[in-house]
Each structure stands twice: as structure tokens, then as C-alpha cells.
Amino acid sequence: MKRTTPVVPAEDIRRQMGYCDELRALNARRPVPPLAWVDTYGCQQNEADSELLRGMLCEMGYQISDTEQGADVIVINTCAIREHAEQRVFGNVGALVHGKRRHPDQIVCLCGCMAQEPHVADRLRQSYRHVDLVFGPQALWRFPELLRRVYLRRGRVFETEPSDGAIAEGLPVRRSGKLKAWVSIMYGCNNFCSYCIVPYVRGRERSREPEIVLSEIRALVEQGYKDITLLGQNVNSYGKDLEGEMDFPALLERADAIPGDFLLRFMTSHPKDATEKLFDVMARCQKVAPCLHLPFQSGNTRVLAAMNRRYTREGYLEKVHALRQRIPDIVLTSDVIVGFPGETTQEFEDTLSLIEAVRFDALFTFIYSPRKGTPAAELPDPMPKQEKSANFERMVAVQDRISLEKHRAYIGSVQRCLIDGTAQGPDGGLTARTPGNRLVHLSGAPALIGQFAPVRITGCSTWALSGELAR
Ligand code: 5AD
Ligand code: SF4
């Protein structure tokens, strides 16, 4: 098969780097280096995109700040997945107007998924006149050019035309962590689940070349990264647009063969494409962490069909069974939506019974939020909000009980954990992660951060484990 995804030509990336040089020269004339603040909402893909934005800002001569106070450039990287996330963004962007009055040269940018929604762009254009630059995820690699345009002309720039997107390689990156790193392996989504805005704002599925992904992982391992998460909206369709035979299990196996002591994680997996081949590879590969995030969304087959998920309740349960046969202690997490339009309480009971049947380690639970332009937003939605909230609370209570029971089962065991930081809050201490990514609190010297160490689990809550060094 021929590669079907366009790749941004290297000379176009070089041109962007040229704009970075030009802005750096302009910024160097200032008495003090200008500051930039990037604020991120939403998923890990947005976190990864923000690391690229910071990388480009550094190339342009900005210092990265962790607050909006005194920032010369503010970039709000937004999420459109639910109404609540959007409201927070509008509230916080609105509040920036005061800072801009004090600091009229400040440049305010809004990017990410919201920027690609036509009604959001219109609202920003009309009612948020202090926002100077708006650009969608597909235009991310052109940030230097767009920022330069605002910088030089002081006019507003909107780069929000719909686009399927291309692959841009060779952008600078400034990573936030020293132990954990994100590696995007693909962008976009082709699934069009009927409730989801992502395929409309992030364009079509497109995969990065395996050699580029693998050399990025290799470099991260050489730099000392210990926990590497491969990212994609649906990693299981990796490679479908590439020449040759490469698919996600094959990529994972090649990443596992990279020498070094590190863990590989990945997200997200669509159940319809999670194959036994993937489970075999996960079981076989030493560095692939024993955990899987496998969103089920609903436990009722009619609702799943209305969601356009293309699997049934039984199909999902069979996948979980096949996975557990190979990796009995796999840590399973999932996403679920309550109150999809037309979901009855009887159908919701099927979601509860699936949760009881699978016993996930943790769940990310959402109440359905209508997204303009998606098919589900057009469906009749008779269930009152209160009833949805009551169902939601019941579900959370069931999962909290299961999470606690699952955590209790760790007590007395010794887990090889990555000590990854210090805990926030008055008690201090260290934090660590089990191979399955459960959070562990323990006491110990900060010098241990960055090491894998055996930890004996001695206690737990619904959310976390606690333990002590076992050596
Ligand atoms: N309403 C509620 N939850 C949603 N998700 C995606 N779209 C919506 C929506 N419109 C949830 C899904 C997805 C997760 C990232 O967010 O569960 O897996
Ligand atoms: Fe949205 Fe479905 Fe694509 Fe996930 S797989 S991003 S839920 S459309």
C-alpha cells in the first residue's frame, strides 16, 4: 500500500525555523528576555502539543513561565470534548482581558480543539477581541509564522479553516518531565463515534513513520526517560495509512526491543481494533506495561450501536477475557458515558452490570455532553438531568467500591515501582507508580526519584496505594 497521508515538506519546516530565528533576533533586542506561558486543557495529546509549542517559543527567544503574570505571550491550548471544558476556557480567556489592559503589547493565542469549531471561532472573533491569534491543531506546526504575523502587524490572525491535516516532523520540543515522556505515534481519528467532536477538529487518522517514532523513543531512553507513553486517538489503527506492513503490535514489539530499563505505555485503544495479536505482543514484551485503557462507553449493545462504536457488549467482554487469559493481572481502565441521548435506565443498568463483570481498576466517568455538529446532538434526549446525575452517582459509587477492593488486594505484595516525584500536600513524601500505573505514596529520600525500586504495599485508599521501600 502507498502512504496516503501527506507529510509536510522539510523545506516548509525549515521556513518555520527561519521565522523562529527572525523573532529570536527581535526578542534579543529587548532589555530582558520576554516570557511565554502555555496553559493546557484536556488530554495527553494536548500536553504533547504544548511541549511542541514551548519548544517553538524557546526557539523564538522566549523564556517559559509557569504563570500568566507578566507573560508577553499567552497560549491557551484548549479541549472541546465536553461543554464543561469549553466553559472553563471561555471563563479563563475572558479574565485575561484585565492583564492585557495593563500590558497592551501582550499577545494572547488560543489553539487546540476548540479553535477548530466554527461557532467558537465566531464567538472569539466577535466577543473576545483581546485574543490575537486563533489556530487549530492542524496548523500547530505553523505557529512561528502565525505568531510572527501578529508580532509584526499587530492585527488579529484566525487560522481555523477545516483541514484533514498532515504529518509535521522536526519541530523543536521542550518536555515537561525528565522521567516520563509522551510520543505521538499518530494524529486524528476516523471513527466518528456519534457523540464525539474529535474527528471534526483533529482531522483524519495519520501515522508517523515507524523509524522516526523508534528513533525518538531511542533518544528518550538515552536521555534517561523511564516511562514512555505512545499516544494516538486510536493507536490500534496505527500504520493503516503507511506503506508496508507496519501495524501497532509490530511497532510496539520493535519499541520493546530498544535496549534500556524503561516502560512502554500507550493510549487510547478502540475495542473494535484491539486484537489478540496486540494482547499476545503485550504479554510477550517485557517493557510493555501490564495495563490497558480500553474505553467501553456503554454496557448496552443498542446504545453502543447508537454511539457508532461497532462492537457489542458481548464482543467487549470477550476481548477482556482474551486479554486476561494472557495477562491475568492486567490493570484495566476505561471511559464510560452516562446519559447518552435516549439511554433508558434499564440500558444504564447494563453499564453497571458490565462494570461489575469486568471489575476495572479505575474508570473515567462522564455525563453525556452534546457537541454541536455531531449526530448524537440531534437525537431526542428525554431523560431529565437529575436522573442522569443520579445514575452517574450510582455508577461512581460502584466503581469506588471496586477500586478500593482492587487496591486492598495489593496489600502485602511487593511491586517494582518507578519513584517519580514528591507528593504535594503537608505530609510530603515520595510518589511512585506500579507497573500498571497505580499511584503509590511512600517515604524516602528525594535522591531515589528516577529509580525503579521494590515497594511493599502496606495500605490503600480508593485512589492510591501506600507502601515502603522493600530493601
Ligand atoms: N460527552 C461526554 N463524554 C464524552 N467523551 C467524548 N465525547 C463526549 C461527550 N460528547 C468521553 C469518552 C471518551 C473520553 C475521552 O471522553 O468517554 O472516551
Ligand atoms: Fe472520539 Fe470515538 Fe475517535 Fe475516541 S475513537 S476520539 S471517542 S470518535
Side-chain angles (χ1 to χ4, degrees):
M1 197 185 120
K2 271 199 70 62
R3 194 191 215 300
T4 51
T5 296
V7 176
V8 177
E11 74 193 70
D12 287 358
I13 301 289
R14 271 199 297 277
R15 192 174 317 128
Q16 297 299 322
M17 295 301 106
Y19 295 133
C20 288
D21 293 342
E22 196 183 317
L23 279 170
R24 191 168 57 235
L26 289 170
N27 281 330
R29 293 194 207 145
R30 300 197 186 191
V32 285
L35 294 175
W37 178 59
V38 180
D39 192 17
T40 314
Y41 293 76
C43 65
Q44 289 87 349
Q45 184 57 57
N46 262 18
E47 296 287 349
D49 286 350
S50 287
E51 294 184 341
L52 293 173
L53 290 163
R54 291 192 194 97
M56 291 187 263
L57 285 161
C58 289
E59 290 295 312
M60 292 184 252
Y62 291 92
Q63 276 188 4
I64 304 301
S65 166
D66 53 9
T67 152
E68 66 184 83
Q69 299 299 323
D72 298 280
V73 172
I74 291 181
V75 186
I76 313 286
N77 191 5
T78 64
C79 169
I81 199 105
R82 282 171 292 275
E83 181 71 33
H84 178 68
E86 291 202 349
Q87 278 166 354
R88 270 178 59 220
V89 166
F90 276 120
N92 293 345
V93 171
L96 292 176
V97 78
H98 308 295
K100 180 122 175 184
R101 266 193 212 120
R102 287 194 299 275
H103 185 353
D105 287 339
Q106 186 179 59
I107 298 176
V108 177
C109 315
L110 187 144
C111 64
C113 293
M114 275 174 76
Q116 203 68 57
E117 291 181 287
H119 69 276
V120 171
D122 287 346
R123 189 168 160 192
L124 291 167
R125 201 175 267 126
Q126 275 152 29
S127 312
Y128 292 77
R129 303 198 60 83
H130 60 293
V131 178
D132 303 286
L133 168 58
V134 179
F135 60 102
Q138 277 74 267
L140 184 108
W141 63 274
R142 292 175 47 222
F143 178 48
E145 167 193 346
L146 302 174
L147 188 65
R148 171 183 171 272
R149 228 191 277 167
V150 177
Y151 191 106
L152 294 182
R153 299 215 196 120
R154 308 300 310 171
R156 303 178 83 198
V157 173
F158 279 70
E159 198 68 34
T160 56
E161 286 301 301
S163 148
D164 285 350
I167 292 277
E169 295 293 356
L171 296 173
V173 59
R174 203 183 120 119
R175 298 190 185 268
S176 304
K178 294 198 157 39
L179 294 176
K180 300 186 182 191
W182 314 115
V183 175
S184 298
I185 62 166
M186 58 186 301
Y187 307 95
C189 182
N190 287 355
N191 289 319
F192 291 94
C193 300
S194 64
Y195 51 80
C196 187
I197 193 75
V198 168
Y200 303 89
V201 293
R202 282 204 173 261
R204 297 289 64 74
E205 281 175 1
R206 47 207 191 271
S207 310
R208 296 177 71 197
E209 285 293 339
E211 293 313 326
I212 296 178
V213 170
L214 291 165
S215 66
E216 185 169 332
I217 300 172
R218 224 171 273 125
L220 288 166
V221 172
E222 279 163 16
Q223 288 161 44
Y225 284 89
K226 303 276 185 231
D227 186 316
I228 294 170
T229 303
L230 309 183
L231 289 181
Q233 246 33 266
N234 175 20
V235 291
N236 296 321
S237 33
Y238 176 81
K240 287 189 181 163
D241 55 332
L242 293 174
E243 277 175 57
E245 291 297 300
M246 184 55 84
D247 61 6
F248 182 61
L251 180 77
L252 205 52
E253 199 149 34
R254 291 207 38 208
D256 181 73
I258 293 172
D261 191 8
F262 65 98
L263 280 176
L264 280 166
R265 308 182 189 282
F266 55 91
M267 68 188 318
T268 288
S269 291
H270 193 303
K272 78 176 165 56
D273 304 311
T275 56
E276 302 209 351
K277 179 177 175 195
L278 172 69
F279 303 156
D280 285 336
V281 166
M282 289 175 71
R284 194 160 63 228
C285 289
Q286 292 294 310
K287 290 166 194 154
V288 176
C291 55
L292 184 66
H293 185 66
L294 195 64
F296 74 100
Q297 313 297 4
S298 163
N300 177 274
T301 296
R302 187 203 70 81
V303 175
L304 286 170
M307 289 176 163
N308 192 31
R309 291 290 287 178
R310 285 171 281 174
Y311 56 87
T312 61
R313 172 191 175 91
E314 291 69 31
Y316 185 87
L317 290 171
E318 278 163 22
K319 297 249 160 139
V320 170
H321 179 70
L323 175 62
R324 283 196 168 135
Q325 271 188 328
R326 291 165 177 80
I327 314 174
D329 60 352
I330 186 95
V331 169
L332 255 184
T333 55
S334 196
D335 294 342
V336 53
I337 298 176
V338 174
F340 183 80
E343 181 188 61
T344 63
T345 291
Q346 200 49 47
E347 288 167 337
F348 165 72
E349 297 292 338
D350 288 343
T351 289
L352 278 189
S353 76
L354 186 139
I355 294 171
E356 293 278 11
V358 174
R359 292 178 59 82
F360 296 100
D361 292 77
L363 263 187
F364 297 87
T365 50
F366 307 105
I367 293 186
Y368 170 74
S369 168
R371 308 285 59 218
K372 227 180 231 142
T374 62
E378 305 299 318
L379 294 174
D381 191 2
M383 188 184 277
K385 242 182 162 165
Q386 270 169 324
E387 202 174 329
K388 292 188 181 186
S389 300
N391 286 343
F392 180 82
E393 295 305 330
R394 273 177 70 202
M395 178 175 74
V396 169
V398 167
Q399 182 56 43
D400 283 355
R401 189 196 80 233
I402 295 171
S403 291
L404 186 59
E405 286 167 2
K406 288 223 138 190
H407 278 171
R408 282 208 185 107
Y410 281 84
I411 294 178
S413 71
V414 174
Q415 306 277 325
R416 184 174 190 259
C417 294
L418 177 63
I419 317 269
D420 63 353
T422 47
Q424 287 168 352
D427 299 339
L430 299 176
T431 58
R433 292 279 169 171
T434 65
N437 217 15
R438 308 312 296 149
L439 174 64
V440 185
H441 291 283
L442 72 163
S443 53
L448 291 166
I449 294 171
Q451 292 183 24
F452 286 102
V455 175
R456 179 169 296 103
I457 306 301
T458 53
C460 72
S461 69
T462 306
W463 314 113
L465 306 168
S466 50
E468 59 199 20
L469 282 176
R471 53 174 185 195

